[in-house]
Amino acid sequence: MRPNTRNKNKRQRPSDAADSYSQILRKIHEANDVTEKDVKQLFMITKPLCQGCRVNTRDNPNCFCGLVPPPNGSRKSGLWQKTSEIIQALGPDLSSELRASDSTPAGLTNLGATCYANSILQCLYMNTAFREGVFSVEVDVLRQYPVLDQIARLFAQLYASKKSFVDSDAFVKTLELDNGIQQDIHEFLTLLLSLLERCLRHSGVFKAKTIVQDLFRGSVSHVTTCSKCGRDSESSSKVEDFYALELNVKGLKSLGDSLDDYLSLEHLNGDNQYFCGSCDARVDATRCIKLRTLPPVITFQLKRCVFLPKTTAKKKITSSFSFPQVLDMGSRLAESSEHELTYELSAVLIHKGSAVNSGHYVAHIKDEKTGLWWKFDDEQVSELGTHPFDEGSSSTTQSESNGAASSGKTKDVNQSGSSSIKSEVFSSSDAYMLMYSLRCGKKESQEGQRENPIDITNGEVASVRHPEGCYLPSHLDKWINDLNATLLEACKQFDLTKESQLKTLTERRQEVRTILSEAAVQSLDEQYFWISTEWLRLWADTISPPALDNTPLLCSHGKVLASKVTSMKRISELAWTKLESKFNGGPKLGKGDYCRECLMDGARMVVSSDSYRDRRTFMKNIAIDVLSGKCEDGNYYVSKSWLQQWVKRKNIDAPSEADAEPTNAITCSHGELMPEQAPGAKRVLVPENLWSFLVEDALRVTPEDTSGCSSFPLDSIQCSHCTSELSEVAGVEDALRTIKAKQRQNHDKLASGKGIALTPQSRYFLLPSPWLVQWRSYINMTGKNSSSVPEPELLDGVINTLKCQKHTRLLERLPELVYRRGSLFQKNPSTDKLTIIPEDDWKYFCEEWGGIVEKGVSAVIEDGSNTNRSASQDVIDLDQDSSPDVNMEIDNQQLIIRTSPEVCEECIGERESCELMQKLTYSEGDVSVCLVRGKEAPKSMLNASDSSFEVDRRTSKRSRRTNYGKQTSLKVSATTTVYQLKMMIWQLLGVMKENQELHKGTQVIDQETATLADMNIFPGDKLWVRDTEMHEHRDIADELCDTNSGPQDIEEGFRGTLLTGDITFEAC
């Protein structure tokens, strides 16, 4: 049974441990001797051995817990880090990239968005005839045309490399493809085959020279036949080559239906009649496509991408489409063939995803030799078995015409009318391209078919036969062997490093656990040694620890310091011997290597500290009496605030830096006693014994200060210079307070911000509202902070800013008026740019703030019912927000504000136009959008149409809930369209674009092509949106795909790459 050490090992409080340590030192000082008992107590030797502590305790030198984790535990770093993480830190394990077997095909790395290229390259490589044709090209031709060289090297790696996937970076760079842009797989195949065909024509090997056209190229003709004379048009005899047949998918369910649609007759009649040269007239006719020749490998491009004229966007058709395993093309030829044209499905290229210009391409390809299907998904290659689709995928074998999945359905495929072929039919909603290979191994080139070149290894290139039967050119064979040798050597070195690391790790962990299990000293009489805890932790947690280092434990005499007992451990002689022999270092600190001299010095310091602490406690009581006014025999001045802080500090063994300069705060710049009226110069008188103690501490803290501490006895005189300055400042402040009080009295209502009742036919003046606000803050601020508010500007300059320079007329629009409780008031004095003030107030302001009465902007409110309007008059319709009886009296009443000088509409218009242009051209700003729940929006939303232009205002982008719905902030610009804004709302608030009813105040925002500037939406505006729920919700990804492929984005395709460039020796 494990002993209970919970209470024995309970950690003491630091204060308790310090007190116990001090008591032992006092005892040593009193006895003037160090006993063995004292040593055991000071070094805590008698503490029990720790067992099962959670952490390693500092106050027990016999505790070794927590230095290593539990048997099954681990740590984030160091020796006890998880083994898997330590191995991972060695670097990539290349052996994990080796092929599972030679029969497993290799994958290709995806460089970002190159899955389309990987899928096509795998299809070409898995075609044995094409692969061997590429391998037969002469070395000189490969050197001249880098494209051929790179595809040959790529095929060689796919064939003989030991890696499970091959890096296609060199090939992609040679073609100058942008690996970050997804491209169409059919376009890539067509351009690549065309490029390879042009390069291979320079080869001297006959079958390599024409391998592309022999395998992949067929021909068609577009035949137009006159319904009247039965003759074909002249262009009908022209034959066009193809690498792939593009078949419609929309509205069609199977490959047979698509082929029928592709070869169907089109009737030309009505406005679309054909002009027949033989008949010399526009006549009815038929037009169709006729297959002239078929290649050994037929590629069908399924046109799943359709153009939507209404939205000018592209959409992917995801309907299920069926295709047979075996396809008879004999009946499809324009001219019947004597030979059987039966094709077998050899590859299915799949496009995953709902978007046209994104998604992911995967290839399912059949191995010609084994008949097994493989799934090529970039680096990952997996076996599918004898069917092109694995179970549980979206592309499955059909048993019914409605697309129900089953293990397979055998159907009679009778397309030629001459034979019946048993074939499975497969169905897929993502199949994008189908490849069929001619079932026969060799056919003569006649009547609609070409020779299938399957034996092209007897060329001019030196080759090496591999066990699988493929001939690899000798230069590629050597290159691949070197790559494989380098790879296998790297795997071997990694395994050796891994084995060595694991061995070292195991040995170190065992060593640490073994030594720690032997480290405890079992008896007090047994020999022991001291070791640094810091080094011990490092040794126990490091794979390669440094040399043993005990120097931090030593005093100046080279012995063990008792004060370092919390930084060292007491270990057995056996453990010390093992550590010393392996890690060297030292010094060796044994049982009697404690420093007696340092212990005696420490004892003297403790006693001295006790004496200082007792004196300080006594002086603190005197200081408390001084601060409370109980001490009346004070002789010296000290700073009151400094003494208050001194009293609050805890008792310490020696003075600290804070004890310096007790009179610094009451000493002026002239070195004399500062007047007590000065800020922070409050002082108190302390008795002479307290003063002596404070001066003594101050000198001990700053012995380098030769001037000492400033002394101010009871009879010290205040500095005359500082007293004079303070008197002057006080006089100025008194005068300022008087002036402010006088202005508050002169402008009672303006100072308090109360509304001023206006009377028609009376004369008033207009002041800038910002100046009035600043004046009000200035005169109402009194006391210590009065100087923090700046004075307003002089009125003469302020009034000049209200007038335009061109005409010297008023440059601001006049405020609106309103009747309240039977009196006339300014409607919005807090927001208006101008404030109407009485004439008396204006005159007082001119006297107080340097204005000229005659230069002011005067205003007279007149009854406009019988007055002819002129350009200098502003006619104002009053808001009637008073009682019904009052409204009856003033109904239809209009008032005119006549100003002098009059309002300058021309300059105001120019300024507002400039401000509007600034608002219309903002590049970045925030608008808030609130999702309103319910039928009606709150008034705060309806009244939010008048917004201020605050470009720099910071707002949160996170959605937050309000009382009426979710609210979020959007980053927009003046050129952001309403459509883009709705897409942001869809993404952040989850309301589908078609269901959004967007408003700015009462204005409906519904023109999706308009910009925010067109709709007068500016930074700081508050918009609100309601979810009509009229349309069924759909995924935002569909809309984003349509947006990305819209007319505003020009598809670059392969423009600028080698696929569309001219063929030269340097480029190809």
Side-chain angles (χ1 to χ4, degrees):
M1 181 177 178
R2 191 173 69 181
N4 183 7
T5 60
R6 182 173 182 181
N7 293 329
K8 293 180 180 179
N9 295 328
K10 187 176 180 180
R11 185 177 298 180
Q12 292 181 321
R13 294 180 180 179
S15 59
D16 295 340
D19 290 343
S20 176
Y21 184 81
S22 299
Q23 289 176 4
I24 299 172
L25 291 179
R26 291 189 191 97
K27 178 183 175 184
I28 293 174
H29 183 269
E30 184 178 352
N32 197 23
D33 188 24
V34 181
T35 64
E36 184 177 353
K37 182 180 179 181
D38 296 334
V39 172
K40 290 181 179 179
Q41 289 179 336
L42 288 172
F43 288 89
M44 295 184 263
I45 293 174
T46 57
K47 285 210 169 186
L49 300 178
C50 265
Q51 296 182 19
C53 295
R54 294 183 181 178
V55 294
N56 187 263
T57 56
R58 288 168 50 87
D59 55 358
N60 188 352
N62 302 317
C63 175
F64 299 97
C65 302
L67 293 175
V68 295
N72 295 326
S74 63
R75 288 178 178 167
K76 293 183 179 180
S77 61
L79 178 64
W80 305 99
Q81 189 179 3
K82 291 182 179 179
T83 305
S84 59
E85 295 177 356
I86 294 177
I87 298 302
Q88 186 178 2
L90 297 177
D93 185 2
L94 297 181
S95 60
S96 63
E97 299 178 2
L98 296 177
R99 289 202 206 193
S101 65
D102 293 338
S103 60
T104 302
L108 288 170
T109 54
N110 191 332
L111 305 176
T114 57
C115 55
Y116 69 94
N118 291 346
S119 299
I120 291 298
L121 290 171
Q122 291 286 15
C123 289
L124 296 178
Y125 165 77
M126 292 294 285
N127 187 296
T128 306
F130 182 77
R131 179 174 71 236
E132 293 180 349
V134 171
F135 287 158
S136 67
V137 179
E138 307 94 310
V139 177
D140 292 341
V141 176
L142 294 179
R143 291 173 180 170
Q144 290 177 348
Y145 297 96
V147 170
L148 293 179
D149 183 55
Q150 288 300 329
I151 199 170
R153 291 179 181 275
L154 192 67
F155 282 5
Q157 291 182 83
L158 289 172
Y159 180 74
S161 175
K162 295 294 183 181
K163 292 190 68 173
S164 60
F165 58 87
V166 176
D167 189 359
S168 58
D169 181 62
F171 179 77
V172 170
K173 285 183 177 178
T174 302
L175 289 183
E176 301 175 8
L177 301 178
D178 188 341
N179 55 19
I181 299 178
Q182 181 75 279
Q183 301 284 10
D184 181 71
I185 199 170
H186 169 242
E187 184 181 5
F188 176 72
L189 173 65
T190 303
L191 294 175
L192 179 62
L193 290 179
S194 178
L195 175 63
L196 294 176
E197 181 180 336
R198 298 197 302 273
C199 294
L200 287 169
R201 70 172 61 146
H202 300 279
S203 173
V205 181
F206 175 70
K207 292 189 176 180
K209 187 172 187 175
T210 59
I211 187 65
V212 173
Q213 49 267 50
D214 288 343
L215 280 177
F216 302 104
R217 187 201 285 178
S219 61
V220 297
S221 58
H222 294 78
V223 180
T224 303
T225 305
C226 177
S227 300
K228 185 175 182 181
C229 65
R231 295 183 179 180
D232 295 341
S233 65
E234 294 182 3
S235 61
S236 299
S237 60
K238 296 181 180 179
V239 177
E240 298 179 6
D241 295 331
F242 69 86
Y243 290 124
L245 296 177
E246 299 183 50
L247 305 181
N248 289 324
V249 173
K250 187 176 182 180
L252 304 172
K253 295 183 178 180
S254 66
L255 181 61
D257 295 342
S258 293
L259 284 170
D260 292 340
D261 175 74
Y262 182 76
L263 300 174
S264 63
L265 286 175
E266 178 187 1
H267 294 278
L268 306 177
N269 48 36
D271 295 336
N272 200 27
Q273 279 187 325
Y274 159 71
F275 182 83
C276 178
S278 300
C279 300
D280 196 24
R282 297 182 66 86
V283 296
D284 291 347
T286 59
R287 180 181 294 167
C288 67
I289 299 175
K290 291 188 177 181
L291 296 174
R292 297 301 182 184
T293 61
L294 294 176
V297 179
I298 302 180
T299 301
F300 297 111
Q301 162 67 18
L302 305 182
K303 297 168 65 176
R304 290 193 177 274
C305 175
V306 295
F307 180 77
L308 304 177
K310 186 176 180 181
T311 60
T312 66
K314 292 181 180 180
K315 196 79 172 179
K316 179 183 175 183
I317 299 174
T318 57
S319 58
S320 181
F321 187 82
S322 62
F323 43 91
Q325 181 180 8
V326 180
L327 178 66
D328 187 357
M329 291 294 291
S331 62
R332 307 285 185 184
L333 279 176
E335 299 178 5
S336 60
S337 172
E338 297 179 359
H339 301 277
E340 184 179 355
L341 294 178
T342 304
Y343 289 82
E344 286 192 9
L345 184 66
S346 58
V348 181
L349 281 79
I350 294 171
H351 177 265
K352 296 181 179 180
S354 60
V356 174
N357 293 339
S358 60
H360 182 60
Y361 287 103
V362 176
H364 294 192
I365 308 174
K366 182 180 180 180
D367 191 319
E368 296 179 0
K369 293 184 179 180
T370 63
L372 295 175
W373 283 84
W374 295 88
K375 178 180 177 181
F376 294 87
D377 187 356
D378 294 328
E379 297 90 348
Q380 303 298 323
V381 180
S382 55
E383 183 180 340
L384 298 174
T386 57
H387 290 78
F389 302 108
D390 53 354
E391 294 186 8
S393 67
S394 61
S395 305
T396 55
T397 306
Q398 272 195 345
S399 62
E400 298 290 340
S401 60
N402 59 5
S406 71
S407 60
K409 172 72 176 179
T410 304
K411 292 189 177 182
D412 291 339
V413 180
N414 190 358
Q415 295 168 310
S416 64
S418 60
S419 62
S420 180
I421 304 172
K422 298 290 184 179
S423 172
E424 287 185 291
V425 178
F426 306 104
S427 176
S428 171
S429 60
D430 291 320
Y432 196 74
M433 188 180 289
L434 305 174
M435 286 188 176
Y436 283 83
S437 298
L438 193 63
R439 172 177 282 182
C440 302
K442 188 174 183 179
K443 290 288 180 181
E444 295 180 0
S445 179
Q446 57 179 340
E447 294 194 82
Q449 61 183 354
R450 297 182 183 273
E451 183 181 3
N452 186 5
I454 61 172
D455 185 14
I456 58 173
T457 59
N458 298 322
E460 302 176 0
V461 180
S463 58
V464 178
R465 181 180 177 87
H466 280 245
E468 294 79 5
C470 178
Y471 287 88
L472 197 64
S474 57
H475 72 285
L476 292 180
D477 183 75
K478 181 179 182 305
W479 178 65
I480 286 294
N481 288 336
D482 292 343
L483 290 179
N484 288 337
T486 302
L487 175 64
L488 294 176
E489 179 63 24
C491 293
K492 180 181 177 181
Q493 292 299 325
F494 181 87
D495 291 339
L496 292 175
T497 304
K498 176 182 175 181
E499 182 180 355
S500 174
Q501 188 78 357
L502 290 176
K503 181 180 179 181
T504 303
L505 200 66
T506 304
E507 292 176 353
R508 277 285 295 127
R509 289 176 176 177
Q510 183 62 36
E511 175 191 57
V512 171
R513 291 193 182 276
T514 300
I515 292 179
L516 288 180
S517 66
E518 302 169 347
V521 182
Q522 301 299 327
S523 68
L524 295 177
D525 298 330
E526 184 180 342
Q527 176 64 287
Y528 61 83
F529 293 89
W530 296 107
I531 192 168
S532 169
T533 305
E534 181 181 356
W535 184 89
L536 194 64
R537 287 181 182 275
L538 195 63
W539 164 80
D541 202 29
T542 308
I543 297 177
S544 301
L548 197 156
D549 183 15
N550 270 343
T551 54
L553 309 180
L554 300 180
C555 68
S556 58
H557 310 102
K559 299 290 186 178
V560 181
L561 271 173
S563 59
K564 296 286 186 178
V565 68
T566 56
S567 302
M568 56 190 182
K569 297 295 178 182
R570 191 171 69 104
I571 63 174
S572 65
E573 185 177 10
L574 176 61
W576 171 263
T577 303
K578 289 184 177 181
L579 291 175
E580 186 184 29
S581 61
K582 185 171 183 179
F583 299 102
N584 301 317
K588 188 174 184 180
L589 302 174
K591 189 174 184 179
D593 291 330
Y594 66 90
C595 185
R596 175 185 174 86
E597 191 174 343
C598 288
L599 281 179
M600 297 302 295
D601 289 342
R604 284 191 294 271
M605 289 181 62
V606 167
V607 173
S608 175
S609 298
D610 290 345
S611 175
Y612 175 82
R613 189 162 41 248
D614 293 340
R615 287 185 61 203
R616 189 178 180 105
T617 302
F618 176 74
M619 293 301 171
K620 183 183 286 188
N621 293 330
I622 296 177
I624 293 173
D625 291 340
V626 168
L627 292 172
S628 61
K630 297 179 181 179
C631 182
E632 298 179 355
D633 56 347
N635 296 318
Y636 291 89
Y637 287 113
V638 297
S639 169
K640 184 177 181 180
S641 59
W642 182 92
L643 189 62
Q644 289 172 339
Q645 293 299 322
W646 185 84
V647 169
K648 291 179 181 179
R649 286 195 288 274
K650 294 182 179 180
N651 277 355
I652 51 179
D653 296 339
S656 64
E657 293 182 2
D659 294 334
E661 301 178 348
T663 59
N664 188 52
I666 61 174
T667 305
C668 72
S669 58
H670 309 100
E672 299 182 15
L673 182 62
M674 185 178 292
E676 196 166 10
Q677 295 81 7
K682 297 293 182 183
R683 55 182 182 261
V684 292
L685 283 169
V686 298
E688 187 170 358
N689 57 348
L690 176 56
W691 168 252
S692 300
F693 182 80
L694 296 178
V695 170
E696 180 183 341
D697 281 358
L699 294 177
R700 289 176 62 183
V701 171
T702 57
E704 68 281 357
D705 188 1
T706 57
S707 61
C709 181
S710 300
S711 175
F712 298 110
L714 179 60
D715 56 353
S716 299
I717 301 175
Q718 296 183 156
C719 179
S720 58
H721 298 286
C722 295
T723 303
S724 176
E725 291 175 2
L726 287 174
S727 300
E728 292 177 4
V729 171
V732 172
E733 291 179 351
D734 290 341
L736 186 59
R737 280 192 291 268
T738 303
I739 292 173
K740 289 183 177 181
K742 182 65 175 178
Q743 291 192 31
R744 287 196 298 270
Q745 182 179 356
N746 293 340
H747 311 279
D748 183 23
K749 290 188 177 181
L750 290 178
S752 60
K754 296 180 180 178
I756 298 176
L758 306 175
T759 306
Q761 307 302 327
S762 298
R763 191 183 187 203
Y764 296 93
F765 281 82
L766 300 177
L767 266 184
S769 297
W771 184 91
L772 196 61
V773 171
Q774 187 178 7
W775 169 82
R776 187 180 294 118
S777 299
Y778 175 73
I779 65 159
N780 288 326
M781 180 61 71
T782 58
K784 295 181 179 180
N785 297 326
S786 59
S787 60
S788 62
V789 179
E791 289 186 2
E793 298 180 43
L794 295 179
L795 272 179
D796 189 30
V798 172
I799 296 300
N800 288 335
T801 61
L802 296 180
K803 301 173 185 179
C804 64
Q805 296 181 356
K806 187 175 182 181
H807 310 97
T808 323
R809 295 178 182 175
L810 185 59
L811 200 54
E812 297 290 349
R813 298 201 179 276
L814 299 179
E816 298 181 14
L817 305 180
V818 64
Y819 265 109
R820 293 193 184 100
R821 296 179 296 278
S823 299
L824 188 63
F825 293 91
Q826 186 172 337
K827 184 178 181 181
N828 299 308
S830 59
T831 58
D832 288 340
K833 293 185 178 180
L834 295 176
T835 301
I836 302 175
I837 65 171
E839 185 176 9
D840 292 340
D841 286 273
W842 168 249
K843 291 179 179 179
Y844 282 127
F845 276 137
C846 289
E847 296 175 4
E848 297 159 353
W849 294 100
I852 301 175
V853 177
E854 293 77 14
K855 287 187 177 182
V857 180
S858 63
V860 178
I861 303 173
E862 299 178 352
D863 185 357
S865 56
N866 297 318
T867 305
N868 293 328
R869 300 179 185 178
S870 64
S872 62
Q873 301 166 353
D874 281 83
V875 180
I876 300 177
D877 293 325
L878 298 178
D879 285 351
Q880 313 293 332
D881 62 349
S882 54
S883 62
D885 295 338
V886 176
N887 288 340
M888 297 249 329
E889 298 174 3
I890 62 174
D891 193 21
N892 298 325
Q893 181 179 0
Q894 291 182 334
L895 295 178
I896 294 175
I897 299 181
R898 189 190 303 276
T899 63
S900 176
E902 61 189 34
V903 177
C904 187
E905 294 291 345
E906 179 182 348
C907 293
I908 291 177
E910 292 179 359
R911 185 188 64 189
E912 291 178 347
S913 297
C914 293
E915 292 175 352
L916 181 60
M917 287 302 298
Q918 181 186 1
K919 296 176 76 173
L920 292 176
T921 56
Y922 65 93
S923 59
E924 186 175 305
D926 293 295
V927 296
S928 62
V929 180
C930 180
L931 175 59
V932 174
R933 307 289 185 184
K935 296 182 179 180
E936 295 184 0
K939 289 185 178 180
S940 59
M941 291 286 104
L942 295 175
N943 297 332
S945 58
D946 297 330
S947 61
S948 59
F949 183 65
E950 300 179 30
V951 178
D952 298 329
R953 181 171 58 183
R954 297 181 62 186
T955 55
S956 173
K957 294 182 180 179
R958 295 183 297 176
S959 298
R960 59 182 185 275
R961 291 199 172 273
T962 62
N963 294 333
Y964 37 85
K966 291 175 64 178
Q967 182 171 325
T968 189
S969 178
L970 303 176
K971 189 75 69 177
V972 296
S973 67
T975 57
T976 302
T977 63
V978 174
Y979 172 84
Q980 292 170 331
L981 179 65
K982 287 188 173 184
M983 291 300 295
M984 296 180 197
I985 296 173
W986 187 354
Q987 189 172 9
L988 292 176
L989 297 180
V991 181
M992 195 173 70
K993 177 174 65 68
E994 291 80 0
N995 289 345
Q996 292 179 25
E997 191 178 276
L998 187 60
H999 300 262
K1000 176 185 175 183
T1002 56
Q1003 176 190 1
V1004 179
I1005 312 297
D1006 55 0
Q1007 300 180 27
E1008 292 192 353
T1009 57
T1011 64
L1012 299 191
D1014 295 337
M1015 304 304 294
N1016 290 328
I1017 298 176
F1018 306 110
D1021 280 352
K1022 295 181 180 179
L1023 310 181
W1024 60 279
V1025 64
R1026 181 187 291 117
D1027 188 355
T1028 62
E1029 301 181 354
M1030 293 177 59
H1031 303 278
E1032 184 178 355
H1033 280 268
R1034 57 190 174 89
D1035 193 351
I1036 191 173
D1038 296 335
E1039 183 71 23
L1040 291 175
C1041 295
D1042 294 342
T1043 303
N1044 294 335
S1045 60
Q1048 67 274 17
D1049 297 327
I1050 301 175
E1051 295 183 4
E1052 294 290 335
F1054 292 95
R1055 184 183 305 171
T1057 68
L1058 192 61
L1059 294 173
T1060 57
D1062 295 332
I1063 302 300
T1064 63
F1065 288 153
E1066 291 79 9
C1068 183

